[in-house]
Amino acid sequence: MLVIVAALVQQALSSLNCDVSWLITTAERVLDGARLYRDIEEVNPPASVLLYIPAVATARLLGIAPEAVTVLLASMLAILSLRHVGRILAVPPAALASLGAAAAFILLVLPADLFAQREHVALIAGLPCLAVIVRRTRNLPVRAGDAWAAGIGAGIMVAIKPHLILALALPQLWSSARQRNLDVLKSPEWLALAATGVGYLLIVLLVFPDYTAHMLPLLRLVYLPGRDSWGHLLTGTMVTIPVTVAILTLWLARARPTEDVVVLLLAAAGFAAAGLVQGKGYLNHGYPAVATSLLAITLHLSRPGHARAFGAVCAAILALFATYSYARVPEPRALSDAVQRLGPAHPRLIGISFDFSLGHPLTRWVGGEWVGTRGSQWVTGNAWQQLENPALPATARRAYERAEQDDAALLAADITGHRPDIILVDDVPGPRWIAAHPPLARAMQGYRPARRVGTVTLWTKR
């Protein structure tokens, strides 16, 4: 209970990060009748938006902030998931309190400002399926209801991010190889996972046709090719913390870990591999790998041993380091103060920036309304990254230049059609980029620079 209270206090004193803030805004727009991937664009598939619609709808019914409901729902899901895991694994009562507290810390405190991110929710949803894999590896029975529920949760995890199937595939392959039996793939949890996946795919095709017709081609062109360097990816917390924890765990176990520890370490490897496949190196992409590896060493430390104290200290240091690395949501108070002074009570905002966190959660902090179709100029930013390649073929170069022009034209249409009260203009791409695109330059003629805060200039109506 103390861990839950600490997590809620932490969230009350912090802020949900730019991704969650944007997805809450997107969910609000969809509930208001906007057409997803046309009237408002989100880089991720529909599951990322659908996750937050229940919180937004509940918040409207109760008349409170969606952020608070999002935190409460994510916390409740985490608690229910841990209870489900405990029931599946039949954790002894003597170990239940300590293990539950440690697991609650990893799920509720460790994420810090990444709380309620897609990967956070995905891990919560997928944990019961990992518990089922452990149970079946030990040749122990699993109640059908528990297996079906775990499979649905796993299906939700994979719907959120398809790459995360690796976190289930690696443990399952190890388990099947150990048992020399592939019949487990016909078990209720995998059937439920498949059914959930097929159902979600039908929803995408039938309810959100613009994702496949409009968004996917754009993502293939400008977003997916943009990857962080392998040097940064392999030295980030997504890899270094799980590897360190795995080595420490295997050392403590004298290279003979129990089945549950092996399953979690393999799941951590799968989560890390999923992050490497995505290639962005974002902290939220690494959270499931970090959390799962810490759960593995926690399970091992729950057993008596001469190195337990040393291992506990090392695990605590790793957990605290991971928590610190995730607590990075900036709070641009000077910028929010400037917006509140220059704009009306509920300003209509739009931004010209590659930095997604410029407008989010700033817009929600000031009680404003984001009127842009996109959350930032991510299309142009990714196009510029590809255009820096001197060996880029001429046809590809023209495609990226066209994507940049379309990005500027869409922004111009948003400014002309919605008449924002304040436009946040970052130094990059900045006024030169505005001037280079005549439709955007014309749309900006009705605005003038009013105040500068750091690298951002606030433009207001003339």
Side-chain angles (χ1 to χ4, degrees):
M1 181 60 70
L2 288 176
V3 175
I4 297 172
V5 172
L8 294 176
V9 170
Q10 175 181 261
Q11 293 306 312
L13 298 176
S14 182
S15 301
L16 297 177
N17 79 349
C18 58
D19 290 337
V20 179
S21 179
W22 168 252
L23 288 169
I24 289 174
T25 297
T26 305
E28 288 177 334
R29 294 268 292 271
V30 170
L31 286 177
D32 289 335
R35 186 176 174 182
L36 188 59
Y37 304 114
R38 282 294 179 184
D39 301 322
I40 187 165
E41 291 186 0
E42 162 56 23
V43 171
N44 293 279
S48 293
V49 179
L50 296 176
L51 275 180
Y52 300 93
I53 284 182
V56 171
T58 302
R60 289 184 172 184
L61 287 174
L62 299 177
I64 59 179
E67 288 82 355
V69 179
T70 300
V71 169
L72 288 174
L73 288 181
S75 301
M76 291 171 59
L77 287 174
I79 295 167
L80 291 173
S81 177
L82 290 178
R83 287 176 62 88
H84 194 192
V85 168
R87 185 172 64 251
I88 293 170
L89 295 180
V91 178
L96 192 59
S98 58
L99 278 176
F105 172 85
I106 292 169
L107 289 185
L108 298 177
V109 178
L110 174 64
D113 290 335
L114 296 182
F115 199 91
Q117 266 276 26
R118 298 178 301 278
E119 291 79 7
H120 182 213
V121 177
L123 174 62
I124 291 170
L127 277 179
C129 194
L130 293 174
V132 171
I133 294 174
V134 170
R135 186 87 176 171
R136 295 202 187 282
T137 303
R138 293 172 173 169
N139 291 314
L140 296 173
V142 180
R143 287 188 289 267
D146 286 337
W148 282 103
I152 292 171
I156 292 171
M157 180 182 84
V158 175
I160 293 171
K161 285 287 183 74
H163 317 76
L164 300 183
I165 188 66
L166 293 172
L168 299 174
L170 292 184
Q172 185 61 72
L173 287 173
W174 171 79
S175 176
S176 298
R178 182 173 179 175
Q179 295 174 299
R180 298 181 181 179
N181 181 8
L182 293 177
D183 288 344
V184 70
L185 296 179
K186 302 175 184 177
S187 61
E189 63 271 17
W190 284 97
L191 293 175
L193 189 158
T196 304
V198 171
Y200 170 65
L201 182 60
L202 290 174
I203 290 173
V204 173
L205 295 175
L206 298 177
V207 182
F208 302 100
D210 289 319
Y211 178 72
T212 53
H214 166 66
M215 204 65 197
L216 267 183
L218 182 61
L219 294 176
R220 291 195 191 101
L221 176 66
V222 299
Y223 186 75
L224 297 181
R227 294 177 56 89
D228 200 356
S229 70
W230 280 107
H232 288 162
L233 289 172
L234 295 176
T235 57
T237 56
M238 176 171 63
V239 173
T240 56
I241 290 181
V243 167
T244 303
V245 172
I247 293 172
L248 180 59
T249 304
L250 293 173
W251 174 72
L252 292 171
R254 298 180 181 180
R256 298 181 64 183
T258 54
E259 294 90 347
D260 49 1
V261 173
V262 173
V263 165
L264 286 175
L265 289 178
L266 288 173
F271 280 127
L276 294 176
V277 169
Q278 293 174 84
K280 302 298 182 181
Y282 300 148
L283 287 173
N284 52 297
H285 291 182
Y287 167 74
V290 173
T292 312
S293 64
L294 291 174
L295 285 171
I297 196 171
T298 298
L299 277 176
H300 180 76
L301 291 173
S302 67
R303 300 171 176 86
H306 66 277
R308 181 173 180 176
F310 174 73
V313 171
C314 293
I317 292 173
L318 286 167
L320 291 172
F321 170 67
T323 303
Y324 173 78
S325 71
Y326 292 146
R328 294 187 179 181
V329 172
E331 294 196 18
R333 298 198 179 278
L335 186 58
S336 61
D337 289 345
V339 169
Q340 290 173 318
R341 285 195 298 268
L342 291 174
H346 300 286
R348 296 160 65 84
L349 301 174
I350 204 168
I352 302 178
S353 174
F354 297 155
D355 184 2
F356 193 76
S357 64
L358 174 60
H360 321 281
L362 172 67
T363 301
R364 306 190 66 83
W365 286 343
V366 299
E369 177 188 1
W370 186 264
V371 296
T373 301
R374 292 170 178 163
S376 70
Q377 272 53 67
W378 60 269
V379 171
T380 297
N382 283 276
W384 280 14
Q385 184 180 4
Q386 300 305 314
L387 288 170
E388 291 176 354
N389 180 8
L392 192 68
T395 53
R397 185 171 296 276
R398 287 194 295 271
Y400 286 121
E401 290 172 346
R402 185 165 56 252
E404 178 187 346
Q405 293 169 2
D406 292 343
D407 194 19
L410 179 61
L411 178 61
D414 285 339
I415 294 172
T416 302
H418 299 292
R419 295 294 293 168
D421 299 300
I422 296 175
I423 301 176
L424 307 169
V425 181
D426 208 341
D427 284 351
V428 179
R432 288 187 178 181
W433 185 73
I434 295 172
H437 297 85
L440 181 56
R442 288 193 295 271
M444 292 291 289
Q445 287 177 355
Y447 293 82
R448 61 178 180 80
R451 183 164 301 174
R452 183 175 177 82
V453 179
T455 64
V456 179
T457 302
L458 286 74
W459 290 50
T460 57
K461 296 175 182 177
R462 291 186 182 276

